[in-house]
Amino acid sequence: MAVALVVLYAAALPATWKYVSFMKVERTNYLHIRLDYLYSIYLIFAVAIIVRYVWILWQLLRGKAPQEPDTI
């Protein structure tokens, strides 16, 4: 599953970049903030997901089980 997520997010990254850069021509109605600033958080999220799952995949290939999340 980690490989699939990395491949899919990496494949979608160029199109996401194009869309976010295209949105620089638009602004919000009330605050007049450029929409590329607002949508750029998704780029940060996508890169973070790619890095996280590459790390998990690397740990699995080395034979280590991923760390269990803390549960309360």
Side-chain angles (χ1 to χ4, degrees):
M1 185 162 110
V3 175
L5 283 172
V6 169
V7 168
L8 290 173
Y9 271 101
L13 209 55
T16 305
W17 177 264
K18 284 183 182 179
Y19 183 74
V20 170
S21 356
F22 168 74
M23 291 307 289
K24 70 181 171 187
V25 298
E26 295 288 328
R27 293 183 178 268
T28 59
N29 289 333
Y30 187 69
L31 296 176
H32 303 290
I33 300 171
R34 287 179 22 188
L35 286 179
D36 61 333
Y37 294 152
L38 297 177
Y39 289 156
S40 65
I41 192 66
Y42 181 75
L43 281 173
I44 297 168
F45 167 77
V47 170
I49 291 294
I50 292 170
V51 169
R52 178 175 171 20
Y53 277 96
V54 165
W55 177 255
I56 289 172
L57 182 62
W58 177 252
Q59 293 295 324
L60 288 173
L61 291 175
R62 290 183 55 209
K64 291 184 176 181
Q67 187 178 24
E68 292 294 323
D70 293 335
T71 56
I72 297 176

